[in-house]
């Protein structure tokens, strides 16, 4: 059976640390926790589960902290988690089965990462993350913020096991922004990947024009990963919408087609563009395109609602505006199959009983 060292970096995580460690019961054979400056009960909780608790002076660099944690690992594979992650029971059982049969030929194992959810707790935003690493290969984390390990060697992509991100509270901080701006002040520039994530941080903080500038810098260098390029176009479109620049919004969406086949989220934003202009027939054609796209085999970010629920619910709206009520109701029922408890679907369902 494969042995696993679980390596975590933590700071002031007393509210969630016991939850993640309890959910990981049986998965790890060694637990290494690196504390970066807690002043609550985090370390006390950690010591209930392991005697391998280490201190690391915080230097605004997540990669260095994670590499320090990895340096203490002794088992076959190393796994990482954040303190506000959790294994749902079905995923915990699957990982336990994986431990029994994992071929040591593989250097890296990726798993899904659920990071966004709807009002009913269904995953809506999913990515693929490198999650297990063969220790003897000495993989190292890179980039001080939004750190990553470059995929290399023999990689096993697992699509039916997910780690679930469940933050205890939604608090937006400017920590990452400050780290990026500290790097800029010191070095004058960012790596291509950091440009992309800095632009995302700016967008998340409502700094629309600054975000536009950095997304465009990232794209103009033509050094980014395809998935990040497409995501940049998507985010640019949102920024331009917030800035009241619909023509540039449309141009950004079109630019995404340079990098790969159309994505559902892009087609839906084009649909919204025409819907906002009152061109409901054209909008419907784009929402139908999104609905009929083949499932993308991607390890990039996946916005799951754009594949069925959003285009279906918007088609119901568009065809209602076009007074094609039977068709509108058909698409609303399709949305309901995806999310039967959705408030939008249920409201539409009652509405269409008066129209049909």
């Amino acid at each position: 059976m494969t042995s696993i060292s679980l390596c975590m970096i933590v700071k002031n995580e007393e509210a969630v640390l016991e939850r993640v460690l309890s959910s990981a019961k049986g998965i790890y054979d060694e637990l290494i926790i690196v504390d970066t400056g807690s002043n609550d009960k985090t370390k006390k909780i950690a010591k209930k589960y392991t005697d391998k608790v280490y201190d690391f002076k915080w230097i605004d660099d997540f990669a260095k902290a994670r590499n320090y944690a990895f340096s203490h690992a002794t088992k076959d594979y190393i796994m990482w988690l954040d303190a506000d992650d959790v294994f749902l029971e079905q995923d915990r059982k699957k990982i336990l089965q994986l431990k029994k049969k994992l071929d040591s030929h593989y250097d890296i194992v990726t798993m899904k990462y659920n990071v966004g959810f709807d009002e009913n707790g269904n995953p809506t935003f999913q990515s693929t993350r490198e999650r297990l690493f063969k220790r003897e290969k000495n993989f190292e984390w890179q980039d001080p913020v939004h750190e990553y390990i470059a995929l290399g060697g023999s990689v096993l992509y697992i699509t039916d096991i997910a780690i679930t991100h469940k933050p205890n509270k939604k608090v937006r901080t400017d920590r990452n922004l400050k780290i990026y701006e500290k790097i800029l002040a010191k070095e004058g520039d960012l790596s291509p990947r950091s440009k992309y994530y800095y632009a995302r941080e700016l967008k998340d903080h409502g700094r629309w024009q600054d975000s536009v500038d950095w997304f465009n810098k990232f794209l103009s260098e033509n050094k980014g990963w395809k998935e990040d390029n497409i995501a940049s176009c998507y985010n640019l479109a949102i920024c331009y919408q917030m800035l009241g620049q619909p023509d540039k919004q449309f141009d950004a969406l079109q630019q995404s087609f340079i990098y790969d086949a159309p994505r559902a989220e892009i087609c839906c934003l084009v649909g919204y563009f025409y819907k906002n202009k009152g061109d409901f027939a054209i909008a419907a054609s784009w929402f139908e395109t999104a609905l009929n796209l083949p499932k993308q085999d991607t390890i990039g970010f996946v916005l799951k609602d754009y594949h069925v629920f959003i285009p279906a619910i918007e088609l119901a709206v568009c065809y209602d505006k076009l007074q094609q009520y039977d068709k509108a109701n058909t698409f609303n029922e399709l949305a309901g199959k995806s999310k039967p408890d959705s408030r939008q679907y249920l409201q539409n369902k009652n509405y269409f009983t008066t129209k049909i």
Side-chain angles (χ1 to χ4, degrees):
M1 181 183 291
T2 299
S3 61
I4 295 176
S5 298
L6 173 57
C7 295
M8 300 175 62
I9 60 173
V10 298
K11 181 180 179 181
N12 293 335
E13 301 289 2
E14 65 178 8
V16 292
L17 184 57
E18 194 139 21
R19 182 186 67 184
V20 63
L21 295 179
S22 296
S23 77
K25 182 180 179 181
I27 293 174
Y28 60 82
D29 303 281
E30 177 181 56
L31 175 60
I32 294 158
I33 295 184
V34 169
D35 188 274
T36 62
S38 295
N39 53 24
D40 63 359
K41 297 179 182 178
T42 294
K43 291 172 69 175
K44 182 178 180 180
I45 294 169
K47 289 176 181 178
K48 291 167 56 178
Y49 290 84
T50 180
D51 59 355
K52 296 185 177 182
V53 179
Y54 304 94
D55 291 310
F56 182 83
K57 184 178 180 181
W58 181 241
I59 52 174
D60 288 340
D61 195 316
F62 285 93
K64 288 183 178 178
R66 291 203 191 276
N67 287 331
Y68 179 71
F70 272 31
S71 72
H72 292 282
T74 65
K75 302 304 179 183
D76 299 331
Y77 283 84
I78 305 174
M79 172 181 278
W80 70 277
L81 291 172
D82 286 332
D84 50 3
D85 293 334
V86 66
F87 290 103
L88 300 182
E89 183 59 22
Q90 67 268 24
D91 295 306
R92 191 183 76 85
K93 290 178 179 178
K94 289 178 182 178
I95 293 180
L96 291 175
Q97 290 300 311
L98 176 67
K99 280 189 68 176
K100 295 178 181 179
K101 63 182 182 180
L102 180 61
D103 188 336
S104 61
H105 162 74
Y106 292 109
D107 300 317
I108 297 177
V109 179
T110 73
M111 299 177 189
K112 295 300 181 182
Y113 195 24
N114 294 327
V115 295
F117 307 88
D118 64 17
E119 65 274 12
N120 296 313
N122 301 307
T124 58
F125 189 31
Q126 187 179 70
S127 66
T128 297
R129 289 303 311 261
E130 60 283 18
R131 191 60 67 173
L132 283 170
F133 310 90
K134 189 181 288 185
R135 181 183 57 81
E136 66 182 29
K137 293 293 183 177
N138 296 316
F139 289 104
E140 290 192 348
W141 291 89
Q142 302 175 46
D143 280 1
V145 188
H146 294 290
E147 66 281 11
Y148 72 104
I149 290 178
L151 296 180
S154 179
V155 182
L156 174 63
Y157 296 95
I158 295 181
T159 59
D160 66 340
I161 301 178
I163 312 299
T164 298
H165 186 62
K166 294 181 70 174
N168 187 48
K169 52 185 177 180
K170 294 183 179 180
V171 178
R172 179 168 293 161
T173 73
D174 59 358
R175 177 198 61 197
N176 292 349
L177 275 177
K178 287 182 176 178
I179 293 174
Y180 280 129
E181 288 167 356
K182 183 179 177 180
I183 296 170
L184 281 169
K186 182 179 179 180
E187 301 179 13
D189 201 6
L190 298 170
S191 69
R193 186 176 181 277
S194 290
K195 285 185 175 71
Y196 165 69
Y197 278 99
Y198 180 42
R200 281 182 51 175
E201 291 286 343
L202 290 165
K203 170 183 168 286
D204 289 345
H205 284 78
R207 292 171 57 179
W208 311 114
Q209 187 58 57
D210 290 336
S211 180
V212 163
D213 294 341
W214 278 95
F215 276 127
N216 282 324
K217 285 179 184 178
F218 167 73
L219 290 171
S220 67
E221 291 180 354
N222 200 30
K223 295 180 181 178
W225 180 38
K226 175 183 71 175
E227 299 299 331
D228 289 345
N229 292 339
I230 295 169
S232 293
C233 294
Y234 170 84
N235 284 295
L236 268 173
I238 292 174
C239 290
Y240 282 129
Q241 182 181 28
M242 298 304 297
L243 290 167
Q245 300 176 13
D247 291 343
K248 290 185 177 180
Q249 175 192 10
F250 191 79
D251 289 343
L253 295 170
Q254 285 186 306
Q255 186 176 349
S256 72
F257 302 143
I258 295 172
Y259 305 111
D260 202 3
R263 299 294 170 85
E265 62 270 23
I266 298 292
C267 292
C268 283
L269 289 195
V270 177
Y272 283 125
F273 174 83
Y274 284 107
K275 179 187 171 188
N276 291 337
K277 293 175 64 176
D279 294 335
F280 297 108
I282 300 176
S285 70
W286 281 97
F287 288 123
E288 287 198 52
T289 299
L291 192 61
N292 293 318
L293 284 174
K295 185 178 180 181
Q296 292 286 343
D297 184 16
T298 175
I299 62 172
F301 292 112
V302 177
L303 300 163
K304 298 181 73 172
D305 277 0
Y306 283 107
H307 291 269
V308 178
F309 179 75
I310 288 175
I313 209 79
E314 291 300 338
L315 281 163
V317 173
C318 288
Y319 283 115
D320 173 66
K321 294 292 186 181
L322 294 168
Q323 299 183 353
Q324 298 181 37
Y325 302 118
D326 285 330
K327 204 168 185 178
N329 184 59
T330 297
F331 282 114
N332 189 60
E333 289 303 312
L334 179 60
K337 289 181 180 179
S338 175
K339 292 191 176 187
D341 298 324
S342 164
R343 183 177 65 256
Q344 292 167 284
Y345 159 68
L346 294 172
Q347 287 176 343
N348 287 350
K349 186 178 181 68
N350 290 332
Y351 168 75
F352 286 125
T353 60
T354 70
K355 291 291 185 180
I356 299 174

